Amino acid sequence: MLSSLCVGVISQWLGRKRAMIINNIFAFIGGSLMGLSQVCQSYEMMITGRFIIGVFSGLASGLVPMYVGEISPTHLRGALGTLHQLSLVIGILFAQVLGLDLFLGTRSRWPALFWATLIPAALQSVLLPFCPESPRFLYIVCEQEGQARTSLRRFTGLLDVSEALSEMKEEKRQMDTQPKVSILQIFRSRTYRQPIIVAIMLQLSQQLSGINAIFYYSTDIFSKAGVEQPIYATIGAGIVNTAFTVVSLFLVERAGRRTLHLVGLAGMITCALLMTTAMVLQDTMPSISALSMAAIFGFVAFFEIGPGPIPWFIVAELFSQGPRPAAMAIAGCTNWTSNFIVGMFFPYVVDLCGPYVFLLFALLLLGFFIFTYFRVPETRGRSFDEISHAFRRNHSLLEQEVKASTELDSLGGGEEM
């Protein structure tokens, strides 16, 4: 939560690529502290290591989607953005499998799980320096047209990148007419109010959907549903999680972000209702545990079709280069804060609501569905400048309507007088 708020400042100060490379320092320190905690007999090292890994995670969750969004061509931006979510769910699945007693989930081998944290950090530290910096950052923020042109050529494989540069030039021209945008200025500005509300609501729709309640407490949920070996059912959910992220990867550029998000939310509402029915009837109908498992797998599948991957990358699409870092910081902090709330309070909500706990999530999902239907724009196939212009146009129309309404009210008041 805390480090995600720093994404905007750090990404502007160090650049997207350099910030991601330096961020791996936190992964090395945190993983090493956790891995050494058993040898040193120190739970303080474990706590400190977890805290430092949290710093790494908060920064990575903002830096990676921002970088990917800025380097992606318009027609592939959604698909490449979904790869971020795919990497997350693959990591979750690996952790679940390695945590089995068969592998590293034993009293003597568990520290190796934390040492494994260093492997992806080492790979990124070695490979990322060979990747170009974001051409948008180089051209719009650093004003280095030559380096931006070189970066574009490396990414696209084209010698003539004038079309992409002209788009950036127009975005930079608009950015130069506005002051630098901070987190507070985004909330104060009427221009950015609508897109930041959309960004926040999409992040909330991901985390308050109930998906983390299932993954944090899935073993307990499957156990109560009558599953004899609940840990394997949890891994099954992880496999479904990964498989349907791949499905979303192929659909996002065909169906569109808004459509997939709506389909995912609608499917999750249905599965939450089925899950509630199964949990209410499981004492009187033990055979209904199969419905409970099917509902959980369906819930996970629909999550990865829309609410899982889309909120991560659509925030970068909703904002132009100027406010984008601050917007990513706000979105990331919203995501981790709601994640924290669900993780901390779900057991208490279960004690309070019993088998009806997922009705609460169904109501939240219904609210997010209605909001998405009426307020979230489709960004597929549109450049950053086109999306930003659409928000400005909507804001201008709203101001004109308010002005016209005010003038009519004043004329009506004058007639009465």
Side-chain angles (χ1 to χ4, degrees):
M1 287 189 294
L2 298 175
S3 66
S4 59
L5 279 174
C6 303
V7 166
V9 175
I10 290 176
S11 65
Q12 294 292 90
W13 174 40
L14 296 174
R16 284 39 164 169
K17 185 181 83 169
R18 191 182 303 171
M20 287 190 292
I21 295 172
I22 293 175
N23 189 34
N24 285 304
I25 294 172
F26 295 114
F28 284 117
I29 295 173
S32 299
L33 286 171
M34 292 187 295
L36 291 169
S37 61
Q38 186 193 45
V39 174
C40 299
Q41 294 292 298
S42 170
Y43 64 85
E44 294 91 349
M45 289 178 68
M46 175 63 76
I47 293 171
T48 305
R50 294 298 291 170
F51 181 85
I52 294 174
I53 283 291
V55 174
F56 166 82
S57 300
L59 290 172
S61 64
L63 292 170
V64 174
M66 190 190 311
Y67 178 74
V68 173
E70 290 182 359
I71 68 173
S72 304
T74 301
H75 67 286
L76 290 175
R77 202 166 56 221
L80 294 176
T82 304
L83 288 176
H84 172 67
Q85 177 71 5
L86 182 61
S87 68
L88 293 179
V89 298
I90 289 174
I92 292 170
L93 181 59
F94 265 98
Q96 290 171 334
V97 172
L98 291 175
L100 293 172
D101 291 346
L102 183 63
F103 298 105
L104 301 178
T106 66
R107 183 180 294 273
S108 60
R109 294 197 293 264
W110 66 260
L113 272 173
F114 297 104
W115 284 116
T117 303
L118 307 185
I119 297 173
L123 282 172
Q124 192 178 60
S125 299
V126 171
L127 298 176
L128 197 55
F130 293 98
C131 298
E133 177 58 274
S134 161
R136 289 184 175 274
F137 172 76
L138 291 171
Y139 184 82
I140 300 175
V141 179
C142 300
E143 299 182 349
Q144 297 175 351
E145 183 175 345
Q147 292 188 28
R149 190 183 297 273
T150 302
S151 178
L152 277 170
R153 285 172 176 166
R154 289 185 62 189
F155 276 123
T156 63
L158 301 173
L159 290 176
D160 184 10
V161 292
S162 55
E163 184 178 346
L165 276 175
S166 63
E167 180 193 332
M168 295 181 197
K169 189 175 295 184
E170 175 60 23
E171 191 174 345
K172 185 178 188 306
R173 185 188 65 78
Q174 294 181 8
M175 181 180 165
D176 289 341
T177 62
Q178 302 168 348
K180 186 178 178 182
V181 182
S182 66
I183 290 176
L184 290 177
Q185 286 169 336
I186 281 188
F187 286 110
R188 291 172 182 168
S189 170
R190 291 184 180 181
T191 304
Y192 303 127
R193 191 166 297 161
Q194 184 180 349
I196 198 62
I197 289 173
V198 170
I200 288 172
M201 290 298 288
L202 287 174
Q203 296 295 331
L204 291 175
S205 73
Q206 184 190 84
Q207 293 298 332
L208 299 185
S209 64
I211 189 67
N212 277 334
I214 285 179
F215 275 106
Y216 290 157
Y217 305 102
S218 56
T219 302
D220 186 50
I221 291 171
F222 283 125
S223 179
K224 289 180 179 178
V227 179
E228 292 183 3
Q229 293 183 308
I231 186 64
Y232 290 100
T234 298
I235 291 174
I239 293 172
V240 171
N241 200 24
T242 305
F244 276 86
T245 305
V246 176
V247 171
S248 179
L249 178 67
F250 288 101
L251 290 178
V252 69
E253 294 298 352
R254 296 182 181 182
R257 288 76 154 134
R258 181 175 175 273
T259 301
L260 285 186
H261 200 70
L262 287 170
V263 169
L265 291 172
M268 291 174 78
I269 293 170
T270 303
C271 292
L273 295 175
L274 290 174
M275 212 181 308
T276 302
T277 303
M279 291 173 74
V280 170
L281 297 177
Q282 68 183 5
D283 291 333
T284 55
M285 297 175 59
S287 60
I288 207 170
S289 62
L291 175 62
S292 179
M293 284 192 62
I296 289 175
F297 288 156
F299 193 89
V300 171
F302 279 110
F303 173 79
E304 290 303 345
I305 285 175
I310 289 171
W312 284 118
F313 67 82
I314 200 173
V315 180
E317 295 185 322
L318 293 175
F319 292 88
S320 58
Q321 196 74 20
R324 185 178 296 133
M328 293 295 293
I330 294 168
C333 186
T334 302
N335 190 287
W336 286 109
T337 302
S338 50
N339 185 322
F340 171 79
I341 291 170
V342 171
M344 290 298 293
F345 295 104
F346 180 70
Y348 304 105
V349 177
V350 170
D351 291 340
L352 185 64
C353 301
Y356 300 98
V357 64
F358 280 96
L359 277 181
L360 175 62
F361 290 117
L363 288 172
L364 287 169
L365 287 165
L366 178 61
F368 293 130
F369 181 92
I370 294 170
F371 178 87
T372 301
Y373 184 83
F374 287 105
R375 299 299 297 272
V376 176
E378 180 55 68
T379 58
R380 177 179 58 126
R382 300 166 72 184
S383 68
F384 293 124
D385 185 55
E386 289 171 340
I387 297 167
S388 179
H389 180 70
F391 274 116
R392 289 195 301 271
R393 185 175 65 248
N394 291 339
H395 173 68
S396 178
L397 289 173
L398 181 62
E399 281 190 333
Q400 290 175 13
E401 290 176 4
V402 172
K403 184 178 179 181
S405 176
T406 304
E407 288 175 352
L408 285 172
D409 289 344
S410 63
L411 286 173
E415 288 174 0
E416 289 176 1
M417 289 175 69

